[in-house]
Amino acid sequence: MSADSIEKEQAGPSNSSSSHPTGTSTAHTPTPTHPSDPSESSLEAPSGSSRAEDDPNRSKPQNRERKPACGDGLKPNRSNNNTNNNSKGKNLAELTSEQLRSRITFIPSGQQVLLKLPSERLKPIVLQPGKNVSIGKFGSFKADELIGMPFGYTYEIAERGGGLSVVVDRTLAEIEATDATNENINDDGDSQKLTYVDIKAFKDAGLDGREIIKKQLEMNSSYDQRTAFSQAKYVKRKEQKHLKLFTPLPPDTMTIASYNFEKNSEKIRWMRPDALSQCLSFASIRPGGKYLVVDGISGLLVGAILERLGGEGSLIAINDTESPPAFDLLDQFNLPPQLTKNVLRTMHWAMTEKDYIPIFSGQEGLETSSSKKDKDKGRNKKRQALQDESARLRKDFQAGDFDAVIIASPYEPFSMIQRLRPYLGGSANIVVHSPYLQSLVECHARLRQSAEYINVSITEPWLRRYQVLPGRTHPEMTTSATAGYILHAIRVLTEEEALAMREKERAKLEAEDIQGSARPRDGEQAEIEAERDTKRPKIEGGKAEETINSSEAIATMDVDVASSATAPPSS
Amino acid sequence: MVNSLASSSDDRFIKAGSLVITFIARDRTPIPVTVTPGEQLNNSYGSFFHNDMIGLPYGSKMVARNRRGFIYLLRPTPELWTISLPHRTQILYAPDMSFITLKLSLSPGCRVIEAGTGSGSFTHVLARTVGRRSKNGDPSLRTGQVPKNWGGLPNSIQAPSRGTPSAAEEEKATPTPSGVETPTTEADGSSRGLQSVDSATVPEFDGRVWSFEFHAGRAEKARQELTAHGMDDVVKLSHRNVCKNGFGLEDAADAIFLDLPAPWEAIPHAPSALRANSIGRICCFSPCIEQVLKTVTALTEQGFTDIQTYESLVRTHESLAGQGPEMDVGDAIRRIKEVERRKEERRIQQIEKTRKEREAKEGSVTEPKTSSDTANFVKLDEGGRDQADEEPDMKKRKRQEEMEEVEGSTHREAETQEGVADDLAEEVETGEDHSPLTSSSSNKPKARNELLMTKKKARQAILLQEKKGNFQPATTLSRPYWEMRGHTSYLTFATLLPRDISATSRT
């Protein structure tokens, strides 16, 4: 699991203490503890038992009782879920917080799960109820043994029979320090007396991983001379080689970001998880917000934002191809439709242009409508729906007032920011991640020159892990050298823009007021005006008057425009 | 006029009672201001009347009435609040807060414990992350909250050191709502949240932050702030010493964050507060490595695994637009040669001149006395003229050098183009394309690019360009700030595996 957990020990029910994670082994009949699939939002057909246990007010005794009930409640729910998945997703019932959370706490059925193998490789599998799952040379096991189990445990596939058992890590801190030194250990590779051929023979004879490791330890002449610490490391190395261990990983942003950083760093433009977390913070992602994202990193950014939105708000992803982007890492997040369907929409860069005309020429539609074939009609309907959707999307985009834009893309950052600026609200955050300092530096310089951006900064996250053990505390030997760089700026409105917006809003409100009850407001206004006048600094009175007048002139000009236009765009 | 705007329902606009973060300058700490009719903000840039702020959109540039200076009115975010808030304790900064949020795997709907509250900066981040938006139109359904715009405390309470009223008010801070829209009355109710048991129930569509603070004054202040900011439903704040009394929560939280002087005293209470049926996460925040060791020992004793300790820092980079492009060293060589050449020329001229003068003198031997005098005079005169000429000369030389520089650079460009002169027009075009600071919009699709339909082909074209070696000198250089925000604390993370799964036998 990690570097400071080395020795795996077979934990039986016997060594389970009250607070210790009891390494309870699960065999052929695990009891799933939770309705595992967050996409089953079917509130209309709740299974009573699972509802009850979702109740956060439950006390501990109830908690104990509920397990069998839960196992029962699982199956009807699941079948329900399958039918649900096929629905359009328009009227998805809102998820409770328990349902939201179950995505990252319980192993789901029928969805992709990432297994971490001893080689640190990730293996995506899908657990289908009643089916066997094969993970290559590691063997196979029954899917039911994992479905509904909480994330967190490491499992071992038994050599014979294929049952699963939970393996509990023992941390390095528990290892007693000894007096041993490496004084007499020679690094000549002669310590291990067993050869590859011997080990192969053991395997062929049907010895399991643990037995082989035991033999290797016996035949290693220097093992006893090592420090306990070093022994533990040695055992861990051998276990990784010979034991059939795997860990199902929760599909949370941390897990997905860190594994892709290690395995697919180029694909995610070397965005280290801490850099991703800072991008989310700088952008102040919040449920209910409206965001733009330029995700050139296979959907990692989109997935992380969607998780933070929790199904509320709006996210428009802008991509650089005419067809929707693949976002293949997005699948790893296992997001239920409630978190994606009515939240995420994609459009391409050409659609950001005001004068862009989508190639949905109506001619074709007219032509086929006369040919009256049902098939064509259906196709036309689809086409029309697509067209409507695209028009709605462009309208929403052009309404603007987005709270932030987050960019991780190979295109030149300033060109992207300038194009999106008109659609960002006042005080909107602009966040750009890049593995290249140079491109951000040039963008930084240009943003600093502009009056429309403030607080422009480039930061470089720096992260170092420490080994903390009594007497052996030190920073890790190797540390990732770079997380990439993050440019952050806040979009501001010029005085003219701000005053024009205020006048427009004022005109709108006054129009509404007139329509409604005509309240006597003039008196109040005069009062405020008078107050203003007295507060105006006397010395520069003339000057101030003049400037205010000029700004009001600008404002009134806009009111004319505004009043002639239709309702102003609002969120 | 102002009044009609004060009631605007459009969330783009600042209203009476809104909290704005006033951004003054890059090197000045932003100041939180609660927009209060009749009040004004004074600083060296001028006076800014709150009445004038009402109705402006968030993010506005606001110019003082005397036109001397301006400020920006920003919408508060937990990050802006963090850098502007009135410090009561050492606070967490954005990089740490972001990383902790990620490592604790927090998202909307999660339940998290925080102890202690301190200045409340991380509390805001947690609230934003685990809170869920309250439903418009159906507030009965949902109470969770993540406000887009925040209300604020009266300015006299919010930042007494910065405001005009007396600082004595700070301690017994009882908010006096004066036309502030956000209800702050509840904040002084001492009964609120202190028992912490009543807050253990969380509505099923909500997230929850349980925040604990053992200092009564700080707890009260933070509660007032959170209430004013509109986060009092998602955050339940208790005045409680968790080391002595535990969290008062059973099987309730997904994660725990401990920012305490002695986190190991609170850790024994952690396992029971975390949910039993799923993975529990903890983060302990301690500035000293000795504390970390004690923490790690306590975590191990309590059954936590996967213990990891991190330190996080941030380096800030500055762009320097005026520093580039750096000159080719050939320029220096050319300059040296030129100066040397001119020096030599002058020396020869000088020799020539003196020779001529000497010849002239030798021609009139009749008056030797005066000749030596005139010679002296001439010399003096010459020296004087030399000196007088010195300055215009220098200027001239400088101008000349500048011109040469321009020539030199064009010369250089020509050189680089020599090798690839096959298509000069294209080179010029791409040169424009690559130079990042050209004012012309580089957004126009280039003619040659129109043919490149696929990204792959476009990429290949760029690679080809690279091979041709068409490198442009950087016009903007970068340099890290000379100092980076120092170490604040070590972050120690650990997980507690689910304990509530049925025991079965192993084959």
Side-chain angles (χ1 to χ4, degrees):
Chain A
M1 217 163 180
S2 74
D4 44 349
S5 54
I6 49 139
E7 193 163 317
K8 307 285 191 301
E9 96 186 274
Q10 288 305 106
S14 54
N15 67 352
S16 59
S17 68
S18 57
S19 66
H20 227 271
T22 62
T24 44
S25 322
T26 79
H28 303 298
T29 54
T31 17
T33 47
H34 202 273
S36 52
D37 198 332
S39 65
E40 55 193 355
S41 59
S42 48
L43 289 176
E44 62 271 18
S47 95
S49 53
S50 70
R51 230 11 30 112
E53 94 202 29
D54 281 347
D55 180 7
N57 311 337
R58 64 189 137 80
S59 61
K60 203 131 201 195
Q62 281 170 337
N63 203 13
R64 292 257 154 71
E65 282 163 30
R66 95 191 126 90
K67 259 166 276 146
C70 175
D72 295 342
L74 194 63
K75 276 187 181 130
N77 245 354
R78 191 180 290 134
S79 55
N80 203 336
N81 160 42
N82 288 343
T83 53
N84 227 23
N85 268 350
N86 299 333
S87 69
K88 284 257 158 108
K90 280 276 173 199
N91 302 311
L92 294 166
E94 196 172 348
L95 295 180
T96 64
S97 295
E98 290 295 309
Q99 287 167 330
L100 265 182
R101 173 183 157 273
S102 71
R103 176 179 73 87
I104 53 168
T105 45
F106 298 104
I107 299 172
S109 80
Q111 278 176 303
Q112 183 179 292
V113 180
L114 293 175
L115 302 185
K116 186 177 82 173
L117 304 180
S119 58
E120 297 285 304
R121 217 161 52 84
L122 279 193
K123 170 107 184 154
I125 55 153
V126 176
L127 299 167
Q128 298 291 4
K131 295 264 170 66
N132 264 349
V133 178
S134 169
I135 45 173
K137 66 166 185 169
F138 287 92
S140 62
F141 59 90
K142 291 196 177 73
D144 289 343
E145 292 193 66
L146 278 188
I147 294 171
M149 288 289 288
F151 281 110
Y153 287 110
T154 295
Y155 299 86
E156 183 181 354
I157 303 175
E159 204 64 35
R160 286 166 287 266
L164 291 182
S165 58
V166 168
V167 177
V168 172
D169 290 348
R170 221 176 77 183
T171 57
L172 282 184
E174 288 169 20
I175 298 160
E176 296 287 316
T178 61
D179 296 332
T181 66
N182 64 1
E183 187 182 355
N184 298 313
I185 299 173
N186 297 316
D187 195 13
D188 53 10
D190 286 346
S191 304
Q192 181 55 262
K193 303 293 182 254
L194 289 178
T195 63
Y196 169 75
V197 180
D198 297 331
I199 291 166
K200 181 107 191 337
F202 287 144
K203 278 186 177 168
D204 292 343
L207 264 66
D208 76 10
R210 271 172 217 290
E211 287 162 341
I212 292 171
I213 292 171
K214 208 175 148 209
K215 290 241 188 253
Q216 280 184 311
L217 297 187
E218 281 165 7
M219 296 303 287
N220 189 316
S221 59
S222 65
Y223 183 76
D224 292 338
Q225 297 170 35
R226 291 168 184 245
T227 61
F229 190 62
S230 160
Q231 284 179 349
K233 275 188 172 166
Y234 182 80
V235 172
K236 167 137 182 154
R237 243 190 350 262
K238 294 298 164 199
E239 283 183 339
Q240 281 189 346
K241 201 163 176 190
H242 296 295
L243 294 191
K244 297 171 170 183
L245 302 174
F246 69 87
T247 314
L249 295 177
D252 55 16
T253 302
M254 179 63 204
T255 307
I256 293 165
S258 45
Y259 273 91
N260 287 295
F261 181 70
E262 278 159 35
K263 307 294 165 204
N264 288 323
S265 52
E266 190 176 349
K267 196 171 183 175
I268 60 166
R269 288 174 63 79
W270 299 272
M271 186 191 268
R272 210 168 57 195
D274 52 321
L276 172 62
S277 76
Q278 290 185 28
C279 287
L280 299 174
S281 285
F282 281 134
S284 195
I285 303 294
R286 158 188 75 78
K290 276 174 68 178
Y291 304 97
L292 294 173
V293 61
V294 185
D295 184 325
I297 56 172
S298 307
L300 177 67
L301 198 49
V302 166
I305 296 169
L306 288 174
E307 183 182 74
R308 287 285 170 95
L309 289 180
E312 293 159 297
S314 148
L315 178 66
I316 296 181
I318 302 171
N319 68 294
D320 65 345
T321 48
E322 68 290 348
S323 52
F327 288 156
D328 52 318
L329 297 185
L330 191 52
D331 294 342
Q332 294 181 359
F333 284 85
N334 267 359
L335 297 171
Q338 282 88 344
L339 261 59
T340 56
K341 275 265 160 63
N342 299 321
V343 181
L344 174 66
R345 289 181 292 173
T346 58
M347 61 189 269
H348 54 66
W349 277 105
M351 283 171 79
T352 65
E353 301 220 303
K354 275 212 170 87
D355 54 357
Y356 170 76
I357 300 157
I359 317 292
F360 282 119
S361 59
Q363 294 169 346
E364 219 176 309
L366 285 170
E367 200 180 290
T368 41
S369 66
S370 57
S371 70
K372 299 206 172 45
K373 274 187 200 159
D374 279 2
K375 240 188 200 170
D376 285 346
K377 263 189 184 167
R379 206 178 293 142
N380 270 351
K381 226 177 181 180
K382 239 183 196 171
R383 209 178 158 75
Q384 185 63 42
L386 243 130
Q387 203 170 327
D388 291 350
E389 181 56 40
S390 154
R392 208 174 315 130
L393 176 56
R394 289 191 68 214
K395 203 179 147 220
D396 289 354
F397 172 75
Q398 272 162 10
D401 198 37
F402 286 91
D403 295 330
V405 58
I406 313 171
I407 297 172
S409 156
Y411 291 90
E412 199 281 307
F414 188 73
S415 67
M416 292 187 274
I417 293 171
Q418 278 299 85
R419 270 170 184 273
L420 299 177
R421 194 208 70 244
Y423 308 102
L424 296 174
S427 210
N429 291 294
I430 295 158
V431 183
V432 187
H433 175 272
S434 174
Y436 312 115
L437 178 59
Q438 198 55 49
S439 62
L440 293 189
V441 161
E442 284 171 3
C443 184
H444 181 266
R446 298 167 88 170
L447 293 176
R448 285 279 298 277
Q449 278 181 350
S450 166
E452 287 162 315
Y453 309 97
I454 58 161
N455 205 29
V456 189
S457 69
I458 299 174
T459 52
E460 180 189 2
W462 191 98
L463 189 70
R464 187 164 202 173
R465 192 170 158 186
Y466 285 73
Q467 170 183 295
V468 179
L469 292 167
R472 301 192 294 272
T473 299
H474 60 73
E476 299 256 297
M477 299 297 189
T478 50
T479 301
S480 150
T482 178
Y485 305 87
I486 302 169
L487 179 141
H488 175 225
I490 298 175
R491 190 265 211 257
V492 288
L493 305 165
T494 60
E495 192 193 13
E496 290 74 25
E497 279 177 292
L499 291 174
M501 276 178 79
R502 180 165 74 178
E503 288 317 308
K504 206 167 159 182
E505 178 70 3
R506 180 175 295 169
K508 194 189 100 186
L509 290 170
E510 274 164 8
E512 280 170 10
D513 240 27
I514 290 160
Q515 280 179 351
S517 61
R519 274 182 290 168
R521 177 151 289 191
D522 290 352
E524 282 174 49
Q525 269 181 30
E527 215 170 273
I528 285 159
E529 288 294 294
E531 183 191 32
R532 262 192 174 196
D533 285 344
T534 52
K535 284 203 172 151
R536 195 168 289 163
K538 287 267 148 54
I539 314 150
E540 283 129 326
K543 198 181 160 196
E545 197 90 57
E546 186 186 304
T547 47
I548 279 179
N549 282 346
S550 68
S551 58
E552 270 171 5
I554 295 162
T556 31
M557 263 166 59
D558 197 83
V559 173
D560 293 337
V561 180
S563 54
S564 63
T566 47
S570 65
S571 53
Chain B
M1 257 162 95
V2 171
N3 268 22
S4 65
L5 285 163
S7 63
S8 167
S9 61
D10 192 324
D11 62 15
R12 289 176 298 170
F13 297 99
I14 296 164
K15 291 182 281 185
S18 300
L19 182 73
V20 293
I21 307 290
T22 58
F23 183 92
I24 297 147
R26 240 156 57 97
D27 50 353
R28 298 268 299 259
T29 307
I31 293 170
V33 168
T34 304
V35 177
T36 315
E39 287 192 16
Q40 66 186 69
L41 172 75
N42 299 310
N43 59 31
S44 51
Y45 295 89
S47 294
F48 300 91
F49 294 84
H50 290 204
N51 285 2
D52 294 352
M53 297 178 187
I54 293 171
L56 285 175
Y58 285 95
S60 291
K61 178 180 183 175
M62 182 187 187
V63 181
R65 283 191 189 169
N66 62 17
R67 310 298 295 174
R68 276 227 317 273
F70 56 86
I71 55 171
Y72 293 97
L73 309 174
L74 301 182
R75 174 179 285 125
T77 64
E79 283 69 27
L80 280 174
W81 176 251
T82 296
I83 54 170
S84 65
L85 66 85
H87 286 206
R88 297 182 283 271
T89 55
Q90 168 72 43
I91 62 163
L92 278 83
Y93 289 98
D96 284 336
M97 296 194 289
S98 316
F99 191 55
I100 295 166
T101 316
L102 185 77
K103 284 286 282 182
L104 293 183
S105 195
L106 298 176
S107 55
C110 283
R111 285 100 204 246
V112 59
I113 290 171
E114 177 198 36
T117 315
S119 298
S121 68
F122 193 42
T123 320
H124 284 78
V125 170
L126 290 174
R128 177 188 63 196
T129 311
V130 306
R132 298 180 70 185
R133 190 173 59 125
S134 52
K135 267 263 148 58
N136 281 337
D138 195 356
S140 63
L141 186 68
R142 293 270 303 283
T143 51
Q145 50 190 183
V146 203
K148 178 175 184 177
N149 299 328
W150 304 2
L153 284 174
N155 290 315
S156 56
I157 299 168
Q158 182 154 258
S161 52
R162 290 166 183 157
T164 32
S166 67
E169 268 186 82
E170 183 190 11
E171 278 314 303
K172 40 184 167 171
T174 314
T176 45
S178 58
V180 178
E181 51 141 19
T182 323
T184 51
T185 39
E186 267 192 313
D188 53 8
S190 55
S191 63
R192 212 141 179 284
L194 286 179
Q195 295 83 7
S196 82
V197 202
D198 74 327
S199 60
T201 54
V202 184
E204 65 172 341
F205 287 98
D206 283 15
R208 173 57 48 88
V209 182
W210 290 286
S211 191
F212 299 93
E213 172 60 50
F214 76 128
H215 185 280
R218 286 202 292 267
E220 187 50 35
K221 192 75 196 289
R223 186 183 294 121
Q224 285 173 17
E225 271 169 10
L226 290 161
T227 307
H229 297 170
M231 297 177 184
D232 53 331
D233 277 337
V234 68
V235 182
K236 293 296 172 195
L237 201 142
S238 307
H239 171 220
R240 187 183 181 106
N241 185 335
V242 293
C243 296
K244 279 189 194 149
N245 307 317
F247 302 101
L249 294 164
E250 280 273 306
D251 188 19
D254 296 303
I256 296 177
F257 172 71
L258 298 178
D259 179 8
L260 300 166
W264 53 91
E265 290 175 5
I267 287 169
H269 305 292
S272 63
L274 287 168
R275 302 215 216 207
N277 70 346
S278 58
I279 197 163
R281 294 185 174 86
I282 191 166
C283 173
C284 303
F285 189 78
S286 300
C288 306
I289 200 76
E290 289 81 3
Q291 291 171 301
V292 173
L293 261 169
K294 282 185 168 181
T295 302
V296 169
T297 307
L299 287 170
T300 309
E301 277 169 14
Q302 293 301 322
F304 285 89
T305 54
D306 201 13
I307 300 169
Q308 308 178 352
T309 300
Y310 288 93
E311 186 186 19
S312 132
L313 295 175
V314 160
R315 225 151 73 116
T316 308
H317 295 266
E318 183 73 343
S319 70
L320 302 143
Q323 296 296 306
E326 290 170 326
M327 277 191 282
D328 193 310
V329 73
D331 289 352
I333 294 168
R334 271 191 293 277
R335 193 167 58 243
I336 292 164
K337 282 182 179 169
E338 180 59 23
V339 170
E340 278 181 345
R341 187 182 58 77
R342 266 189 252 158
K343 257 189 187 166
E344 182 62 12
E345 245 173 38
R346 241 209 318 267
R347 197 176 64 88
I348 290 163
Q349 275 175 6
Q350 192 93 22
I351 293 166
E352 186 69 12
K353 204 175 180 183
T354 27
R355 192 181 57 81
K356 274 181 185 163
E357 278 168 1
R358 207 186 300 129
E359 276 173 5
K361 262 184 258 164
E362 276 164 8
S364 58
V365 274
T366 44
E367 292 168 287
K369 245 191 172 176
T370 40
S371 82
S372 72
D373 273 1
T374 39
N376 272 344
F377 266 118
V378 168
K379 260 181 197 165
L380 264 173
D381 191 35
E382 221 178 80
R385 198 173 57 224
D386 250 346
Q387 257 180 8
D389 279 0
E390 191 77 312
E391 277 188 25
D393 234 28
M394 287 245 289
K395 272 183 196 163
K396 222 186 283 167
R397 220 177 299 155
K398 238 184 181 171
R399 219 180 5 256
Q400 232 167 354
E401 271 167 16
E402 273 163 19
M403 275 172 65
E404 272 163 8
E405 232 165 71
V406 173
E407 277 166 22
S409 59
T410 47
H411 178 61
R412 240 183 322 166
E413 265 165 40
E415 267 178 356
T416 51
Q417 283 177 13
E418 253 172 5
V420 285
D422 47 353
D423 193 345
L424 201 76
E426 194 194 79
E427 288 298 330
V428 168
E429 194 182 61
T430 50
E432 228 178 63
D433 209 350
H434 279 259
S435 149
L437 285 177
T438 42
S439 55
S440 70
S441 74
S442 53
N443 297 328
K444 282 177 283 176
K446 297 279 182 273
R448 72 191 154 82
N449 279 347
E450 279 174 357
L451 298 170
L452 305 170
M453 287 304 290
T454 64
K455 257 167 87 173
K456 202 175 165 191
K457 277 184 188 160
R459 182 92 217 130
Q460 278 169 349
I462 291 168
L463 285 176
L464 202 74
Q465 211 63 54
E466 273 171 20
K467 266 193 195 148
K468 281 188 185 170
N470 184 23
F471 295 111
Q472 299 289 317
T475 51
T476 307
L477 304 184
S478 76
R479 186 177 61 203
Y481 276 129
W482 66 284
E483 195 176 51
M484 65 204 272
R485 169 107 61 206
H487 164 86
T488 51
S489 275
Y490 292 103
L491 310 173
T492 302
F493 297 96
T495 54
L496 188 62
L497 292 177
R499 291 134 288 157
D500 188 17
I501 55 170
S502 62
T504 46
S505 61
R506 183 179 171 260
T507 29

